[in-house]
Each structure stands twice: as C-alpha cells, then as structure tokens.
C-alpha cells in the first residue's frame, strides 16, 4: 500500500475500504440486483445510486419531502445548540453565582463536573433506548426534562437543589449530543449526510462557545437565574416544535431484493410473472400467503390489499404517535452493552482519546476563565468575560467552513493517487491542522496568562483551541463513520464516554490552577494533547489491519449483528 498504510491479505475487501475507480461497481448489498431496478438520486445526483435504497412506502423517512427533512434537522439542531449552551453558560458569572449560593468556586465548578458525568452516563441509557423504541419518545422526554430543570434552576435558592437540577438536566442533554447524528442517518442518503452532520455539529459547537457570550450580559443585567429562564423559554418553543414537527424517524428497513409483480387476472395458473420490481424481504414472504374459499379452491391472494394498507400514508396526526413499536430485533440488553465492547476497537478507542482530550480541555477553559479574567491584571466585568467566547465562536464557524470541504478534497486526492481505492485513513491527515492549532492554543494560553500579556493573547489562544476541536471532530467522526457504518450509533456513544474524563478533570481543575498556576496546568494539558494526537500516526499505519481484525472476528460479527 502507498502512503505507509499496511495492507491486509486476509480479507478480500476490508470493512471501510471502497473501490471508486470502476463506475460499474455497486455497493455489496446491491451486487445481485439489476442496475436498472435500483433507485437513483435527482438533479446533479442523478447518476448516484441511493444508499440505503428507499422502499416504496410513503412512510419511509427517506421518501419524505425535502422540506420536512430539513425542518426536522433544524429543530433538533437548534435544540442541540441550546443544550450546548446550557453547560458552560454560567462560566462568566462563576464568582457572583458562588457568592449568591454561599459556596466556593471549587464547589461550583464541581456542579459542572456532575452535569458532565450525568451526560456521559445518560448516553448509555438514551441512545440504546432510542435504538429499541425509536427516537421520538426519547426526544420528547429529553426536551421535557430540559424545560422543567431550567425552570427549577431559575427558581432555586439553595445549592443542593441547584446541584440536583443540573444533575437531572444531564440526562435530558444526552440525546441531543449524539442522537441527532442517528436521526440524520434515518432521514438522508449517504451522499447527503456529511453536510447535515456538519450543520448539526456547527449548531452544537457554536452553542457551546456562544452560550457564555450571551449569558455574560444576562447575568450582569438580570442575574444568573435569567440564563435558566431564557433557556426555559427556548426549550418550551423547541419542545412544541418537537411535538408537532418531529415524527418518528426510525424505520424497519429490510434487505433490498427483486420482488415479482403479479399480473392479476392475466396471471396463469402456474403463477408465472412477467415483471420484477425492487422490494423488501417481507414482501416476498407475504406474496406466498394464500387464503382458501369455502369450496376449497385456492384464491391467489398475494396480500396486495394488506401491503397497500400497510403502506397507506399516515395522516399528520398518526405520524405524531409517541410510541410506534420496537425497532431492534436484538435482545434488549445487547444495545446497552455494545458501546462498551466497541470502546475496545482500536479506532474507536483512538477517537475516544482524541475527541475526549480536546473537548475536555475546552471545557476546562469555561471553568477557569471567570477566575482568570475577573481578577488582576485583566479585571473584566461579567459581560466582558462573556465576550471572551466571541473568539471561539468565530473561529469555530471558520473551522467548520474549512474542515469539511478540505477533508473531502484530501480524500478525493489520495483516492486518485491510490488507483481509485478509498481507505478511511484518508480522513486522518487533517489531524495535522488540529495539532498545530491545539499546540498554539493550549501552550499559548498558559504562557500568555502566566506572563500577563495583553488580553488579546489568551483570548486568541482560546479560540484556536476551539478550532483545533473542530478539525479533530471532523477527522474522528469521519473516520469512524467510514470504518464502521453499521455501528455508528454505538460508536458515537462509546466515543462520548469522554464525559467521564471531563468529569474527573473539571472536578479539581480550579484547585490545581490555584496551586501550580496556569503555565504548568496548560503545559501539562498541551503535552497530553500532543501525545494523543500523535497516536494518529500508528492508526494511519495499522488502521487497515485493525479494521480487518474486527471484520474477521466471528464473535464480534455475531454480537454486533442486530438480527442475532
């Protein structure tokens, strides 16, 4: 293999590897289906074979009008943005809030740590549950929890109650941090998903970085309680959007097979057929069912009436049912255990380390910024401390606009150089940009605060660290999606166990900062960031062998199969 990637001779086609040079190539699941039976895209994608292949049912989310899909994406992404803002929004007013609740800054920082821990633990409940009973009930319960806890947080006067509201809110936040990616997979074809995932990620990350920007002014003028009040209003409005405009997007999708089309009265007694159409496995089974009349003659009832009834378009109110059935054939315990097993996949563990490290260090900024900038030599007001988030807000948007197209261009270029063979490892070179911006961000922030440079120094470094997160997330999620397409949901949960790492650090970081100073703290964080980022090099070299090993392991294949 070129570029230093070690090839694997034990599998003909390693999971994730794709052949893009032969335009006659079809996805493996469509290899035995006539090409003219397959459905294609429209417009500039008219030559693209749709993956997955949509059914003929009007209730298949893949067949929904485009405006409906985009509306669902908008509502869930806006909800994710408010969820992203909810966690760090109090950071500009940490000093004032600690005084009002009669607690120390360390104790207040620990409340954020407990919130993050509950998000991490909640993911192991909400995502597997959504895989079993569907997305809609989980979204509804989650946004209701957020609405109630925001009202609770606005009314509370004592720290114990304040902490309880934050802990319970973590469970409500969990689905909007990960489950939206699964909803995108339900609604969009493969060639449409990258852009939509980038949109959701943009909303989430700008919510995280922009929440403190707005909250600083709210805390200074109206008090910190109104940050919860504003969130309650937003969750109330978005909750109505979820209730009335976000139907169930999970869909039972059987394998695509050629289905005989019977000719009705013109059909011969032998049941010969003249045409084939693209259908589903369950339709083949139904077409063999017949009923018998009282005279004992078999009437050739192919269950067409039942099929048409089953595929009747749901009315608007029918589509808003909260519970629509079970969506996983696997035993109930399997979806809850799979993320733990996946964490031992080398690629997923790498994603956990890289994404977990970068985003944890970013959370550290939100915990310590108020302590650093409200004190000499900066002496910022609460609103000015909130304005610090303008830097990461702008650089996050710039990073999102650059990282996606640049990553795709690198993949196409390397694929051409590799004789049309695409490897998921081609998603990794952009980690070099993450490394550069992260080194400047983490080391630069510690040094500029330690030596009391102009405020623009640490503020710019704060923004660069956030830009590093954008490029790292693009590489991590792009690599995982391409390597383990059938296990994306479980892999995203496994990667987001990084909340446990974030909990551990944010629990004691303020005390650490007070004891050893910003230079030591951020140099250690920067060194750890460099170490985990450099693990990309062995993944680049051995990644294909790792994918081959997990693809050949029979126990893993059986355990991860939804039909077992």
């Amino acid at each position: 293999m070129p570029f230093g990637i070690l090839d694997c001779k034990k599998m003909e086609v390693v999971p994730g590897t794709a052949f893009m040079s032969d335009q006659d190539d079809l996805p493996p699941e469509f290899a035995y289906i006539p090409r003219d039976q397959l459905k294609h895209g429209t417009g500039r994608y008219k030559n693209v074979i749709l993956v997955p292949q949509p059914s003929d049912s009007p209730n298949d989310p893949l067949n929904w009008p485009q405006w409906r899909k985009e509306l669902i994406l908008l509502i869930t992404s806006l909800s994710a943005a408010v969820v992203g803002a909810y966690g760090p929004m109090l950071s500009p007013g940490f000093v004032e809030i600690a005084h009002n609740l009669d607690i120390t800054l360390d104790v207040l920082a620990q409340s954020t740590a407990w919130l993050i821990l509950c998000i991490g633990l909640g993911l192991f409940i909400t995502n597997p549950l959504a895989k079993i009973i569907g997305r809609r009930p989980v979204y509804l319960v989650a946004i209701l929890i957020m609405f109630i806890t925001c009202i609770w947080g606005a009314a509370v006067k004592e720290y114990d109650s304040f902490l309880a509201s934050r802990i319970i809110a973590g469970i409500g936040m969990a689905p909007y941090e990960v489950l939206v990616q699964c909803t995108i997979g339900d609604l969009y074809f493969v060639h449409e998903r990258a852009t939509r995932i980038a949109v959701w990620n943009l909303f989430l990350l700008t919510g995280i970085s922009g929440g403190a920007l707005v909250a600083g002014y709210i805390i200074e003028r109206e008090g910190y309680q109104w940050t919860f009040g504003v969130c309650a209003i937003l969750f109330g409005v978005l909750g109505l959007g979820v209730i009335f405009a976000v139907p169930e997007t999970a869909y039972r999708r059987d394998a695509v097979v050629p289905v005989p089309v019977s000719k009705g009265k013109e059909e011969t007694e032998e049941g010969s057929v003249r045409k084939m159409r693209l259908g589903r496995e369950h339709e083949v089974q139904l077409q063999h069912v017949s009923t018998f009349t009282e005279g004992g003659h078999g009437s050739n009832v192919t269950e067409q009436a039942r099929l048409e009834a089953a595929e009747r378009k749901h009315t608007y109110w029918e589509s808003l049912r909260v519970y629509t059935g079970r969506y996983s054939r696997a035993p109930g315990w399997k979806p809850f255990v799979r993320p733990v097993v996946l964490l031992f996949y080398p690629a997923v563990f790498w994603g956990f380390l890289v994404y977990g490290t970068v985003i944890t260090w970013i959370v550290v900024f939100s915990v310590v910024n108020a302590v650093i900038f409200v004190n000499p030599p900066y002496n910022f007001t609460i609103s000015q401390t909130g304005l610090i988030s303008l830097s990461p807000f702008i650089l996050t948007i710039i990073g999102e606009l650059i990282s996606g197209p640049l990553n795709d261009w690198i993949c196409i270029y390397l694929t051409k150089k590799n004789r049309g063979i695409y490897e998921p490892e081609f998603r990794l070179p952009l980690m070099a940009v993450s490394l550069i911006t992260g080194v400047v961000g983490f080391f630069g922030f510690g040094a500029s605060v330690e030596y009391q440079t102009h405020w623009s120094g640490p503020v710019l470094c704060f923004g660069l660290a956030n830009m590093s997160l954008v490029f790292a997330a693009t590489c991590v999620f792009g690599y995982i999606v391409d390597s383990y397409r059938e296990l994306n949901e479980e892999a995203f949960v496994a990667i987001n166990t990084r909340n446990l790492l974030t909990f551990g650090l944010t629990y004691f970081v303020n005390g650490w900062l007070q004891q050893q100073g910003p230079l030591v703290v951020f140099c250690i964080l920067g060194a750890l960031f460099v170490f985990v980022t450099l693990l990309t090099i062995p993944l680049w070299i051995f990644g294909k062998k790792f994918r081959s090993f997990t693809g050949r392991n029979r126990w893993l294949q059986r355990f991860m199969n939804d039909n077992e």
Side-chain angles (χ1 to χ4, degrees), residues 421-444:
I421 301 174
Y422 168 76
E423 304 288 356
E425 284 72 27
F426 294 166
R427 295 283 182 190
L428 301 179
L430 211 57
M431 283 299 299
V433 181
S434 178
L435 177 63
I436 295 170
T437 53
V439 165
V440 176
F442 296 120
F443 287 100

Side-chain angles (χ1 to χ4, degrees), residues 26-48:
L26 296 177
E29 61 267 33
F30 306 147
Y32 300 102
I33 300 174
R35 191 183 182 92
D36 59 356
Q37 297 284 341
L38 295 171
K39 297 178 182 180
H40 291 67
T42 58
R44 61 175 176 158
Y45 298 111
K46 63 182 179 181
N47 294 322
V48 175

